[in-house]
Amino acid sequence: MNDRRFVISMHILVLLSKFPDELLSSDFLAGSMNINSVLVRKELSNLRKHNIVISKEGKNGGCMLARPANEIFISDVYKIVSTHSILGNELASPNPKCPVGKQINEHLYDLNKEAEDIMISRLANQTLADFSNRFE
């Protein structure tokens, strides 16, 4: 998977699922990942915008899941945060006179779409609770 945002978001969500009745701070979440809390807050903002998490500001603030982990599908998280194609980006400007070059981007796009549809279909069968249960 070539999108760090998905990895960060999943780490956040698993932690939140492990502490369902607590507000967790971005500093706590960032400490678990050994990353800057700014990156965590950026992903929390996106997850909040899509009603995956809720948050409370202030000294005793933090965030928690907006709904139970068994109602959050991994495919939804992927679609919310993914910004890159799973097979890579298209070629910038292949030679239009080449029989391959003039069609490569179109066919790579189709191939990427097929691969992503298969992956999303598989992820649609897994909830955050399913994934979180893999952790002791």
Side-chain angles (χ1 to χ4, degrees):
M1 186 133 328
N2 62 5
D3 198 332
R4 185 172 176 191
R5 293 185 62 204
F6 178 78
V7 174
I8 293 171
S9 293
M10 286 300 296
H11 197 131
I12 290 168
L13 294 173
V14 170
L15 280 169
L16 296 178
S17 75
K18 294 297 186 185
F19 301 93
D21 300 320
E22 297 181 39
L23 289 169
L24 301 183
S25 71
S26 58
D27 288 336
F28 174 82
L29 297 168
S32 177
M33 292 177 256
N34 285 324
I35 64 172
N36 190 302
S37 60
V38 171
L39 296 171
V40 170
R41 286 192 291 274
K42 179 180 177 187
E43 294 312 318
L44 284 171
S45 176
N46 188 42
L47 293 167
R48 188 173 41 253
K49 181 173 87 174
H50 289 92
N51 301 312
I52 303 291
V53 301
I54 56 174
S55 62
K56 177 183 172 191
E57 293 185 25
K59 181 180 176 187
N60 296 319
C63 60
M64 62 191 321
L65 295 177
R67 58 185 183 271
N70 64 353
E71 295 177 12
I72 299 170
F73 291 91
I74 305 300
S75 57
D76 293 334
V77 176
Y78 175 80
K79 288 186 260 185
I80 288 168
V81 303
S82 180
T83 58
H84 298 92
S85 65
I86 61 175
L87 298 179
N89 296 322
E90 64 185 26
L91 295 171
S93 55
N95 185 344
K97 295 179 182 175
C98 171
V100 172
K102 69 181 177 183
Q103 299 177 52
I104 190 71
N105 284 336
E106 176 185 341
H107 293 299
L108 286 173
Y109 174 83
D110 292 343
L111 184 64
N112 185 70
K113 179 79 171 102
E114 290 170 27
E116 192 166 63
D117 287 348
I118 291 167
M119 184 184 70
I120 288 172
S121 174
R122 178 79 186 260
L123 294 177
N125 294 321
Q126 294 184 60
T127 65
L128 174 58
D130 296 331
F131 187 72
S132 182
N133 287 336
R134 296 179 184 182
F135 299 82
E136 297 178 15

